[in-house]
Amino acid sequence: MLQLQRLEVEGFGPFAERQTIALPAAGVTVVYGENMRGKTLLLNAIRYAFFGRVLGRASRQRKLAAISNRDLAKEGKYGFSVSLLFTHDDTQYELLRDCSPLVETPMVDEDYRQSIMLKRGTQVLGPQERDHMLKVIFPEEISRFFLFDGELLQEYEELLINESEAGRRIAEAIEVILGVPALKRSRALLTRLADEADKLAAREAKKSQETQSLGNVLELSVQQREAHEAELRRKQNDLADLTTRRSEIEQSLHVIQKYATIIDERDSRQARFEEAGRETDNYRQELQRTMANAWRTLLREPVRLARDAVASEVQKDIDTYVTQLRGRAINQGMCDVCGQEVVGDVLLALKSAATTANSATAGTDTSLTGAMYRLQDLNRFDDSDNTGEIRQLWKSIKNLEIERATLKDRISELTGALSDSDPDEVRRTNASYAEVHEKISITKRSIDDEIKKILGLNESIERTRRNLEKSAGTDLRRSQLRARTLRDSAEVFGAAIERYKSELRTKVEATASKLFLKMTTEKKDFAGLTINESYGLSIRHQDGRAEEARSAGAEHVVALALMGALQGNAPLQGPIVMDSPFGRLDADHTANVIKALPTMAEQIVLLVYEAEVDKTQMREILGSSLVREYRMEKVSSRRTIIRDLK
Amino acid sequence: MKNSNELLQTVITTGKEIKPDLDRAFLEAVLEAEENFPDDEAEAERRILRALDELFKSKGI
């Protein structure tokens, strides 16, 4: 088992001065650090020590020249080193990897020299033994299960997709950690040795006249089988390459599909932009028309006052006129309007009305016609209030302007995203996909043919061998026995592969289920996890059905359960180093995961920022499992120190 | 990181079931050769053949 003891970094990323982290063998060590302080680089320091590589976002390899501390570079000091003290199966090792400049001002990786030293105890190992031991101690293809970056979580979803290239790679890596390649390689070794033993047996058979022809048949059959096995391996490699190529094309198609989606969105936004422009113009014209009459609103009140005054004047004139008519009617004894005689009661009534009116209208001069015309003009004045309409039109225009500004920005963004696209790419990529798909079908068929031929030859070889046994001498019998032992052993290892994988899947499923149920907050709804052939885990409901769609948070918890299960069941065991592992989790899930951590591996190192998990909470939940705490502190934007919080 | 005994147990159990005449020690030697020399096939093969010779010698073959 691998156990880290001490990590030292100098000149590495923000760690200008030498920084040391002691790592207790058992328990959880937590390193707190805000963003840009160097948490991911600390994980990368371990990766760099073992593999000479630093990975950035999306697992892209970073240039080593960019890792050298910038502050020191300003002082003319370039280069960095990482030292790792660890034990493996109770033997202590010290690993030192150093990157030093070859020129005064190194700019690219080629301007640096990398050196590596591995000590076992006090003995410095030679290059071959060093490289061999590093592969045995910590194979790079399985590092993803020990150096855990939250960004890699979504890769585990690939395990659920059959024939996914990324899924196949991860499944292969899982099989490495579970020890399966040891069985596969053993089978391959034994098969090759068995072939050699068969050839030796054929040569022995040819020495004797009695068995010569059988020897010739055996030799020829073995040679033919070797040739077909070589051809089979070649075609299997071709198939792997074609599958990788198909996967790359599928990714391109996915990107192109993304471009198609971008184009659709851009076109629809462009159409809306133009439509909004037309609407704006319409509103502006409407506003212009409405504003043309807006002055009426200003005159509304004065006109009303004038109208009231004129109406009052008109009324007075009308009263005066009526008084005059009455007066004439009284004097003439006849009405000027209807021509009737004015006598008796009517005369009396008129005289009474005339007396009252005379006092009110005395001295009033009538200009009725003029006043009525003025009143008529004033009544014709359209005093409708259109301020509400004007306000509404302004608001509509403003909203459209805001919408157009937003659309314009978005269109510009989308156009930028399309700047690398090639309109013909879809057509070309589709053609490539069809071609590769066809080649895969052909290659698979020819692989099946080769397998049939090999099986046929195996039967022929077996028949020849049985015939040889009947008349074989001592040496030939011995050769045949060797060949049989080797071939039988190869068969055992072949059968053991499938058995081992099946047993492991069952164990991984059981362990992962237990861990998942510890970490999830939906314990009543979920029964556990179900594993597929590629080690993909799906969530199983109490009703037995699989959870169809998974949130990023659920994905996170399942991936952590898988990691813990692999650690619990793998022959290969070591520490888990996690960088920001709680990013997608809510508070309850985070607390559950922290609680479960000590059961996942003997040695855990967490690189977290305090907003992810509060220190007090961490201490409370982990209790005595929390063995060491550090904090990354900012000296400047390019310098970080690591403080021991003991 | 060394492999555990589980791999060996699986091989032994499978051997008992399908090829009971096969010697357990030889199967163990094959796995050990592979684990100790995962990158050196020639050396692993030599170890396996040596184990085979020892097996035959022990049986008087």
Side-chain angles (χ1 to χ4, degrees):
Chain A
M1 183 194 291
L2 171 66
Q3 284 179 326
L4 304 178
Q5 292 180 305
R6 188 192 69 215
L7 172 67
E8 270 184 358
V9 291
E10 188 173 354
F12 192 86
F15 310 111
E17 289 77 34
R18 179 173 297 185
Q19 304 296 315
T20 304
I21 296 184
L23 299 163
V28 182
T29 300
V30 181
V31 181
Y32 295 98
E34 298 310 300
N35 291 345
M36 309 279 284
R37 289 281 63 79
K39 290 192 300 300
T40 305
L41 268 173
L42 208 58
L43 183 143
N44 263 312
I46 300 173
R47 187 179 279 129
Y48 174 70
F50 276 109
F51 316 123
R53 264 200 264 274
V54 174
L55 298 184
R57 296 193 69 82
S59 302
R60 274 192 286 270
Q61 193 163 331
R62 286 186 64 184
K63 303 253 181 261
L64 293 177
I67 303 298
S68 210
N69 182 265
R70 300 289 172 90
D71 264 4
L72 291 178
K74 273 201 230 163
E75 297 164 26
K77 296 174 194 163
Y78 296 88
F80 51 87
S81 68
V82 176
S83 155
L84 198 53
L85 192 66
F86 61 89
T87 60
H88 176 250
D89 290 347
D90 302 321
T91 303
Q92 187 166 74
Y93 291 84
E94 185 178 358
L95 175 60
L96 174 64
R97 202 179 284 260
D98 181 84
C99 189
S100 47
L102 290 167
V103 300
E104 205 178 312
T105 314
M107 303 283 280
V108 294
D109 285 6
E110 289 71 28
D111 293 339
Y112 284 91
R113 178 188 60 227
Q114 285 215 72
S115 58
I116 169 172
M117 182 202 72
L118 179 66
K119 258 184 25 211
R120 181 172 49 215
T122 53
Q123 183 203 2
V124 176
L125 302 184
Q128 258 189 324
E129 195 181 359
R130 174 197 72 206
D131 293 345
H132 166 74
M133 281 314 299
L134 286 176
K135 281 187 185 157
V136 167
I137 291 167
F138 196 12
E140 189 175 1
E141 60 267 37
I142 62 161
S143 60
R144 68 172 68 238
F145 301 111
F146 298 90
L147 304 178
F148 184 78
D149 182 340
E151 215 196 79
L152 299 179
L153 279 173
Q154 70 193 48
E155 288 188 345
Y156 293 93
E157 275 187 292
E158 297 286 335
L159 291 172
L160 290 174
I161 304 168
N162 286 332
E163 297 200 357
S164 145
E165 182 58 22
R168 189 183 64 78
R169 279 199 300 269
I170 296 172
E172 273 175 11
I174 290 175
E175 290 192 346
V176 169
I177 196 178
L178 294 176
V180 174
L183 297 175
K184 288 183 176 175
R185 284 194 297 264
S186 297
R187 180 181 56 179
L189 284 170
L190 287 164
T191 305
R192 205 164 39 249
L193 287 172
D195 282 346
E196 289 303 316
D198 276 334
K199 281 187 211 169
L200 187 61
R203 284 199 290 278
E204 283 295 332
K206 279 162 71 173
K207 284 179 188 170
S208 154
Q209 218 174 2
E210 210 181 329
T211 54
Q212 194 179 49
S213 61
L214 283 173
N216 286 334
V217 167
L218 182 61
E219 190 177 47
L220 185 62
S221 302
V222 170
Q223 280 170 354
Q224 283 176 339
R225 185 179 60 191
E226 250 185 355
H228 283 292
E229 280 172 348
E231 182 63 8
L232 176 64
R233 278 192 297 274
R234 194 186 63 75
K235 285 184 175 157
Q236 283 168 337
N237 287 338
D238 285 348
L239 182 63
D241 290 342
L242 286 167
T243 310
T244 303
R245 176 81 189 114
R246 182 179 63 184
S247 185
E248 285 165 3
I249 295 173
E250 279 168 355
Q251 282 185 6
S252 295
L253 282 173
H254 183 71
V255 170
I256 287 167
Q257 182 53 44
K258 195 181 79 171
Y259 280 148
T261 309
I262 291 172
I263 289 171
D264 282 346
E265 189 191 340
R266 189 195 61 178
D267 288 350
S268 104
R269 296 215 186 238
Q270 185 68 37
R272 176 62 201 145
F273 180 78
E274 282 158 18
E275 190 189 358
R278 284 191 294 275
E279 283 176 22
T280 306
D281 288 343
N282 289 343
Y283 279 131
R284 283 192 192 284
Q285 283 167 14
E286 182 65 27
L287 182 65
Q288 219 171 13
R289 278 194 296 274
T290 310
M291 287 296 287
N293 290 321
W295 58 270
R296 289 178 190 277
T297 305
L298 295 171
L299 290 179
R300 205 165 162 237
E301 192 57 17
V303 164
R304 187 188 67 78
L305 290 171
R307 190 190 295 127
D308 287 348
V310 169
S312 174
E313 205 182 304
V314 163
Q315 189 57 49
K316 273 194 192 140
D317 286 349
I318 290 173
D319 290 343
T320 305
Y321 184 62
V322 165
T323 305
Q324 286 172 353
L325 280 177
R326 281 196 190 118
R328 279 207 293 277
I330 290 167
N331 293 335
Q332 289 165 178
M334 189 177 72
C335 176
D336 276 345
V337 176
C338 62
Q340 285 192 353
E341 277 187 343
V342 174
V343 291
D345 289 340
V346 173
L347 181 62
L348 284 171
L350 277 180
K351 275 183 181 168
S352 167
T355 312
T356 315
N358 275 341
S359 59
T361 60
T364 312
D365 210 357
T366 173
S367 55
L368 178 60
T369 310
M372 284 189 75
Y373 278 136
R374 287 208 314 282
L375 184 61
Q376 215 172 34
D377 285 339
L378 287 169
N379 280 337
R380 269 202 292 271
F381 178 76
D382 178 5
D383 66 350
S384 56
D385 181 5
N386 61 4
T387 49
E389 194 184 337
I390 290 170
R391 261 197 289 274
Q392 192 54 45
L393 286 168
W394 265 120
K395 196 174 165 189
S396 299
I397 290 168
K398 279 289 155 228
N399 286 343
L400 282 166
E401 280 172 354
I402 291 168
E403 188 188 347
R404 274 169 58 90
T406 309
L407 284 166
K408 192 172 172 190
D409 284 344
R410 182 66 183 142
I411 289 164
S412 176
E413 229 176 75
L414 293 167
T415 305
L418 287 169
S419 60
D420 294 333
S421 69
D422 176 358
D424 288 335
E425 201 179 342
V426 177
R427 195 174 30 83
R428 283 199 303 268
T429 307
N430 277 331
S432 298
Y433 188 77
E435 191 187 329
V436 164
H437 204 71
E438 178 63 18
K439 279 184 181 167
I440 285 175
S441 300
I442 293 169
T443 307
K444 278 183 176 172
R445 280 198 296 273
S446 70
I447 284 173
D448 288 341
D449 287 341
E450 290 298 328
I451 290 173
K452 275 188 199 138
K453 284 174 189 162
I454 290 167
L455 289 173
L457 284 163
N458 280 341
E459 279 172 15
S460 161
I461 290 168
E462 191 51 36
R463 274 195 307 273
T464 310
R465 237 192 254 123
R466 278 199 298 271
N467 289 334
L468 268 174
E469 271 169 17
K470 290 172 192 167
S471 45
T474 311
D475 287 343
L476 179 54
R477 266 210 195 96
R478 191 166 188 277
S479 297
Q480 280 192 298
L481 194 55
R482 284 174 72 90
R484 177 171 296 289
T485 305
L486 289 163
R487 203 159 292 287
D488 286 351
S489 301
E491 196 180 322
V492 165
F493 273 87
I497 291 167
E498 290 315 312
R499 182 188 205 127
Y500 187 65
K501 277 161 69 168
S502 173
E503 283 171 1
L504 276 175
R505 271 198 297 271
T506 306
K507 286 181 190 167
V508 167
E509 183 184 90
T511 312
S513 282
K514 272 201 199 111
L515 273 169
F516 174 75
L517 289 173
K518 269 189 197 165
M519 294 189 283
T520 186
T521 52
E522 313 302 320
K523 297 176 209 298
K524 287 197 185 123
D525 295 334
F526 296 142
L529 300 175
T530 304
I531 200 165
N532 68 11
E533 292 258 325
S534 316
Y535 306 94
L537 290 165
S538 52
I539 300 172
R540 199 172 64 248
H541 273 268
Q542 291 287 358
D543 62 12
R545 281 183 295 179
E547 177 81 349
E548 287 295 334
R550 299 210 303 225
S551 65
E555 206 49 61
H556 202 121
V557 175
V558 171
L560 288 169
L562 175 61
M563 280 188 71
L566 290 173
Q567 280 271 346
N569 290 287
L572 283 72
Q573 291 178 335
I576 297 182
V577 183
M578 294 198 199
D579 178 17
S580 301
F582 308 114
R584 292 175 185 179
L585 301 180
D586 57 40
D588 289 339
H589 276 108
T590 297
N592 286 349
V593 168
I594 294 171
K595 233 181 278 179
L597 280 175
T599 62
M600 282 170 64
E602 210 166 294
Q603 185 183 38
I604 305 251
V605 181
L606 288 184
L607 307 165
V608 298
Y609 54 96
E610 287 190 64
E612 265 187 286
V613 185
D614 174 64
K615 253 210 304 298
T616 313
Q617 189 190 15
M618 188 77 86
R619 287 169 182 166
E620 211 175 281
I621 297 172
L622 285 173
S624 60
S625 294
L626 178 62
V627 291
R628 210 70 186 249
E629 285 176 301
Y630 292 91
R631 185 194 283 124
M632 291 185 176
E633 290 179 359
K634 176 181 174 177
V635 174
S636 71
S637 62
R638 287 175 172 173
R639 231 177 246 247
T640 297
I641 59 169
I642 301 175
R643 195 176 299 288
D644 193 338
L645 296 180
K646 49 172 180 249
Chain B
M1 296 183 183
K2 287 200 93 141
N3 289 332
S4 75
N5 286 331
E6 282 196 34
L7 268 172
L8 179 60
Q9 283 315 309
T10 306
V11 172
I12 301 296
T13 308
T14 310
K16 272 188 198 157
E17 282 173 16
I18 65 173
K19 299 285 175 191
D21 292 339
L22 268 179
D23 186 71
R24 175 203 162 115
F26 177 68
L27 293 173
E28 194 172 342
V30 170
L31 195 56
E32 199 178 305
E34 194 289 321
E35 284 177 2
N36 288 337
F37 301 96
D39 299 320
D40 189 350
E41 283 178 356
E43 183 60 31
E45 282 180 6
R46 273 195 291 275
R47 301 281 173 128
I48 292 170
L49 289 173
R50 202 179 304 159
L52 190 63
D53 288 338
E54 280 170 17
L55 170 66
F56 278 26
K57 199 172 165 186
S58 69
K59 290 189 174 178
I61 300 171

